[in-house]
């Protein structure tokens, strides 16, 4: 089996995330890492491999600036077999459409996948749309937002909390699969894994390597434009009271009544 | 005037509130055309509903052939409708509810129509300027679609529904669905059990509990019921098995933007804030005065939720008489 797991390098959510003057996400000034939500995708990809046997190959694929190779390295340490990092100045500022194009072209070069595994959403853009766009571009079905993944041969079944019901969804490989943070804790890289990762193949491709024209990607080719980014004004300090012998409850009710919630 | 396609959000013909919010936004942009993909037997009833909120046209697409298949067939329907409408009077925008499925429909449609997609809008102006809230609600973004027909997924509670009848002309539409679109299928579905409380994402008031409840949600639920509120939970409470995942508020749960959010025994981690920071009024009860949630609140009580909440609930019920 051939599994490609898409991993994104994102600014640390607990750091002070910012925008650049051109309204793109600051991916350099803030420490980055493999998106926590994509660790779950790596985990599920590895579990599929462990179930299917050793001739299965898992490739971690990341699009992003130079530093983004760290996300691929982490996936290699966790246990994927090889890594591909697509990096090209022209990609900077790409929107979902361009990102999904580059991912699709890179996947075609990696070779016909049985499963393209994604996280439920990136922790920066958090659109959760790249997996569906990728499926559209690759002409594949998509089975997304899985809390539980089960396979039997090329049959895939997932369980998920749908918008209005708990659902079991079935599909057949090849397909695009995305998993949530309910799918099971991601493993930590072991010391052995960290050492082994150093010897694993890691390729860096430019746009020309995958046959994408620089004019198709980047900020200027984007199908959407961000005109303004404004930091939300800090909330004005509220009133905080200490509860003493029931005074907290009374004050709380007074506040709610003053705001007409009661 | 150009049409604005609005995908109706419904469960077996029961129209959900976000549909009316989308219609209100659609009126700013052009002539609202509601799109019903569902059972033909429910069409008349649904058409009446959306008409009352301003739909000029109602496209009815019988889902007998595609029911149970996910996302891809609906994207094909919208593509074909958009192409048809484009050739008559033009399409100003396509509005879709920002649910898990809605965003994925938008994603496929975006590639099909080679049109820009903006997700998770919290507002859309008459000029098509879209407002989003990002980085856990710490930044507000405004932007526009610059290519093709704007496809915008809109979060619940982003506009007030506006009553006022449109023409509501019903037009049946038959789409051609490819075999490729029928490759992912719902095998089984268990509808969410009714809680008797408002829907979390639609509620005007949300009362949430976290690890600090110690697993006893009674004080939280008591206050919620006194206020007519929905009940939410932090991931810690969900991971502990105290509440199902559908109650989770935050980055990997639901985003809520109610008039009032009451966080009880919740520390206020960035991932939790991501789901509630845009609430109009925020109140917290936490026994640790250093808890980061207090940085966000309009009103906070430093105290034990197990005593504060029941006392407050009793007082509220007394006032209500
Ligand atoms: C990728 C990722 C995604 C995540 N997504 C989400 C998400 O969607 N939603 C989410 O909520 N979290 C999410 N988290 C987890 C988040 O980081 C926090 O761990 C979580 O929100 C903590 O929940 P809590 O506030 O209930 O628990 P804690 O942080 O343990 O806080 C409990 C609070 O209760 C208070 N307390 C204890 N006893 C009492 C009492 N008797 N009375 C009053 N107060 C009391 C304590 O002082 C403390 O402040 C995510 C994390 C990651 C890494
Ligand atoms: N630049 C990228 N490189 C690799 N994978 C990505 C990238 N952007 C998005 N993805 C994948 O698509 C998923 C959803 O991303 P998004 O639609 O941006 O929320 C992520 O969890 C990743 O699996």
């Amino acid at each position: 089996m051939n599994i490609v797991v898409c991993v994104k390098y994102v600014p640390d959510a607990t750091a002070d995330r910012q925008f650049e003057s051109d309204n793109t996400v600051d991916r350099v000034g803030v420490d980055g890492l493999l998106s926590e939500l994509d660790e779950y995708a790596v985990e599920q990809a590895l579990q599929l491999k462990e179930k299917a046997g050793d001739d299965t190959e898992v490739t971690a694929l990341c699009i992003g600036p130079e530093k983004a190779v760290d996300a691929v390295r982490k996936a290699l340490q966790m246990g994927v077999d090889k890594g591909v990092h697509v990096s090209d100045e022209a990609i900077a500022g790409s929107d979902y459409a361009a990102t999904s194009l580059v991912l699709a072209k890179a996947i075609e070069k990696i070779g016909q996948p049985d499963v393209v595994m994604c996280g439920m959403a990136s922790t920066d853009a958090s659109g959760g749309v790249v997996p569906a766009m990728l499926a559209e571009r690759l002409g594949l079905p998509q089975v997304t937002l899985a809390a539980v993944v089960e396979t039997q041969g090329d049959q895939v079944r997932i369980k998920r909390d749908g918008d209005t019901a708990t659902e079991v969804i079935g599909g057949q490989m090849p397909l695009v699969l995305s998993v949530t943070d309910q799918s099971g804790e991601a493993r930590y890289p072991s010391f052995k894994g960290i050492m082994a990762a150093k010897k694993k193949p890691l390729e860096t491709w430019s746009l020309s390597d995958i046959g994408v024209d620089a004019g198709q990607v980047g900020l200027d080719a984007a199908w959407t434009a961000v005109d303004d980014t404004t930091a939300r004004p800090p909330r004005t300090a509220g009133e905080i009271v200490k509860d003493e012998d029931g005074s907290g409850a009374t004050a709380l009710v007074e506040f709610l009544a003053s705001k007409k919630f009661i | 005037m150009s049409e604005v396609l609005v995908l109706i959000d419904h469960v077996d013909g029961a129209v959900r509130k976000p549909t009316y919010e989308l219609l209100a936004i659609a009126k700013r942009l052009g002539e609202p055309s509601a799109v019903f993909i569902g059972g033909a037997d429910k069409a008349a009833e649904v058409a009446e509903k959306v008409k009352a909120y301003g739909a000029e046209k109602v496209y009815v697409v019988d889902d007998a052939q595609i029911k149970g298949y996910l996302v891809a067939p609906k994207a094909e329907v919208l593509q074909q409708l958009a192409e048809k409408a484009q050739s008559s009077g033009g399409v100003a925008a396509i509005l879709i509810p920002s649910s898990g499925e809605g965003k994925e429909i938008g994603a496929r449609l975006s590639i099909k129509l080679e049109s820009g997609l903006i997700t998770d809008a919290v507002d859309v102006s008459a000029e098509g300027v879209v407002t989003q809230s990002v980085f856990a609600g710490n930044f507000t973004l405004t932007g526009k679609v610059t290519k093709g027909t704007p496809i915008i997924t809109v979060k619940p509670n982003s506009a007030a529904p506006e009553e006022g009848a449109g023409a509501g002309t019903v037009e049946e539409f038959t789409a051609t669905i490819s075999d490729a679109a029928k490759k992912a299928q719902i095998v089984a579905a268990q509808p969410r059990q009714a809680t008797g409380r408002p829907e979390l994402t639609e509620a005007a008031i949300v009362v949430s509990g976290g690890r600090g409840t110690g697993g006893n949600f009674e004080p939280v639920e008591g206050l919620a019921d006194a206020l007519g509120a929905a009940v939410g939970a932090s991931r810690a409470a969900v991971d502990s098995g105290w509440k199902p995942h559908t109650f989770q508020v935050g980055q990997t749960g639901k985003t809520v933007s109610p008039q009032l959010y009451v966080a009880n025994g919740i520390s206020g981690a960035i991932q939790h804030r991501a789901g509630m920071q845009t609430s109009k009024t925020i109140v917290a009860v936490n026994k640790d005065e250093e808890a980061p949630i207090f940085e966000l609140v309009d009103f906070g009580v430093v105290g034990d939720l197990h005593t504060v909440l029941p006392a407050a609930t009793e007082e509220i019920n007394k006032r209500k008489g």
Side-chain angles (χ1 to χ4, degrees):
Chain A
M1 218 177 13
N2 186 8
I3 302 174
V4 177
V5 54
C6 299
V7 294
K8 191 174 181 185
Y9 179 81
V10 297
D12 186 352
T14 56
D16 190 15
R17 293 179 290 183
Q18 297 293 340
F19 286 93
E20 302 268 16
S21 55
D22 64 356
N23 292 324
T24 59
V25 175
D26 179 357
R27 296 190 186 282
V28 180
V30 180
D31 281 342
L33 74 177
L34 164 62
S35 170
E36 277 161 317
L37 292 174
D38 292 348
E39 289 185 12
Y40 296 93
V42 172
E43 175 62 36
Q44 291 305 312
L46 293 172
Q47 288 192 19
L48 284 187
K49 177 186 161 95
E50 282 154 8
K51 195 174 166 207
D54 274 346
D55 56 339
T56 296
E57 190 170 60
V58 183
T59 308
L61 169 62
C62 175
I63 301 173
E66 222 168 289
K67 273 180 145 185
V69 74
D70 286 355
V72 185
R73 288 227 171 85
K74 174 90 185 271
L76 289 169
Q77 293 172 351
M78 288 173 74
V80 309
D81 302 298
K82 55 179 211 175
V84 173
H85 175 209
V86 184
S87 193
D88 199 306
E89 297 247 310
I91 297 174
S94 288
D95 62 353
Y96 294 131
T99 302
S100 64
L101 174 70
V102 176
L103 283 170
K105 289 293 189 181
I107 289 168
E108 280 167 15
K109 185 170 155 104
I110 289 167
Q112 174 69 44
D114 296 286
V115 176
V116 176
M117 185 77 81
C118 292
M120 64 184 287
S122 50
T123 54
D124 52 351
S126 71
V129 295
V130 165
M133 284 190 169
L134 203 45
E136 181 67 30
R137 290 197 184 273
L138 296 168
L140 295 178
Q142 89 211 55
V143 173
T144 50
L145 304 175
V148 179
V149 180
E150 283 161 4
T151 57
Q152 199 159 52
D154 65 354
Q155 299 296 316
V156 179
R157 279 201 172 197
I158 66 154
K159 283 204 189 92
R160 69 174 191 184
D161 284 320
D163 296 322
T164 55
T166 307
E167 299 163 332
V168 178
I169 296 173
Q172 190 180 353
M173 294 178 198
L175 47 65
V176 174
L177 189 57
S178 83
V179 299
T180 71
D181 59 340
Q182 300 280 300
S183 61
E185 276 307 305
R187 67 194 65 186
Y188 288 102
S190 63
F191 179 71
K192 218 175 112 203
I194 293 170
M195 297 314 287
K198 294 185 175 151
K199 298 195 198 79
K200 289 180 180 170
L202 197 175
E203 292 184 35
T204 307
W205 295 344
S206 67
L207 285 178
S208 60
D209 290 327
I210 55 173
V212 173
D213 190 80
Q216 290 175 279
V217 299
L219 197 54
D220 293 339
W223 296 358
T224 52
V226 176
D227 299 321
D228 185 49
T229 54
T230 317
R232 198 186 162 82
R235 293 188 84 105
T236 41
E239 187 191 348
I240 296 180
V241 301
K242 265 207 173 87
D243 177 46
E244 268 153 37
D245 302 324
S247 65
T250 313
L252 173 58
V253 174
E254 282 305 324
F255 174 81
L256 294 177
S258 75
K259 294 279 181 184
K260 310 246 179 314
F261 290 117
I262 305 172
Chain B
M1 226 203 295
S2 315
E3 284 179 66
V4 180
L5 300 182
V6 171
L7 182 62
I8 297 178
D9 185 5
H10 71 96
V11 181
D12 292 329
V15 179
R16 301 176 76 205
K17 189 170 155 244
T19 307
Y20 306 127
E21 299 166 5
L22 294 190
L23 285 168
I25 291 175
K27 281 187 223 168
R28 302 173 194 162
L29 301 167
E31 286 195 355
S33 293
V35 181
F36 176 60
I37 306 177
D41 56 327
K42 298 279 166 51
E45 187 188 320
V46 170
E48 276 311 306
K49 293 240 168 77
V50 292
K51 179 182 169 178
Y53 286 87
E56 296 296 336
K57 230 186 238 175
V58 186
Y59 290 111
V60 172
V61 184
D62 183 8
D63 74 349
Q65 300 301 317
I66 55 174
K67 204 172 155 68
Y69 297 104
L70 292 167
V71 183
K74 290 182 182 162
E76 288 188 351
V77 168
L78 287 178
Q79 175 192 16
Q80 290 164 32
L81 258 177
E83 281 164 358
K84 179 190 109 93
Q86 200 63 270
S87 60
S88 43
V91 182
I94 302 174
L95 305 181
I96 303 175
S98 215
S99 57
E101 187 186 49
K103 290 206 274 189
E104 292 182 355
I105 293 171
R108 281 195 177 255
L109 189 60
S110 163
I111 303 299
K112 284 179 192 295
L113 295 175
E114 295 193 12
S115 293
L117 165 72
I118 299 183
T119 61
D120 300 311
V122 295
D123 195 18
V124 186
S125 77
E127 291 75 37
V129 175
V130 183
T131 307
Q132 290 169 293
S133 171
V134 301
F135 286 173
N138 284 336
F139 278 84
T140 303
L141 244 67
T142 55
K144 255 189 156 167
V145 169
T146 49
K147 180 157 195 280
T149 306
I151 305 170
I152 304 166
T153 76
V154 183
K155 288 202 168 193
N157 279 340
S158 297
E162 290 168 16
E163 280 186 77
T169 317
V170 173
E171 193 176 309
E172 279 175 29
F173 182 79
T174 312
T176 319
I177 306 300
S178 69
D179 287 339
K182 295 188 188 167
K183 292 226 159 112
Q185 198 175 1
I186 300 177
V187 183
Q190 188 150 42
R192 194 93 62 238
Q193 261 177 352
T195 56
R197 298 195 178 97
E199 185 81 28
L200 187 52
T201 52
E202 297 172 8
I205 303 181
V206 175
V207 180
S208 286
R211 201 194 306 275
T213 61
N216 177 9
F217 258 71
E218 261 173 50
V220 171
E221 288 167 347
L223 179 63
D225 291 341
L227 293 169
V231 172
S234 73
R235 185 166 112 173
V238 170
D239 285 351
S240 304
W242 300 336
K243 283 286 161 197
H245 179 246
T246 48
F247 283 69
Q248 186 177 314
V249 172
Q251 187 190 3
T252 55
K254 302 257 166 37
T255 316
V256 299
S257 199
Q259 296 298 319
L260 170 65
Y261 186 87
V262 188
N264 304 290
I266 293 177
S267 60
I270 184 84
Q271 296 90 354
H272 188 78
R273 289 183 182 203
M276 47 67 73
Q277 188 148 242
T278 58
S279 305
K280 305 284 173 311
T281 301
I282 298 175
V283 169
V285 179
N286 194 306
K287 68 178 185 190
D288 174 12
E289 61 183 315
E290 304 285 321
I293 191 83
F294 284 128
E295 293 161 16
L296 296 184
V297 298
D298 298 285
F299 189 80
V301 178
V302 180
D304 189 331
L305 70 91
H306 297 286
T307 52
V308 175
L309 298 191
T313 304
E314 199 187 312
E315 173 67 22
I316 292 167
N317 286 334
K318 208 155 59 191
R319 289 194 185 202
K320 288 198 301 193

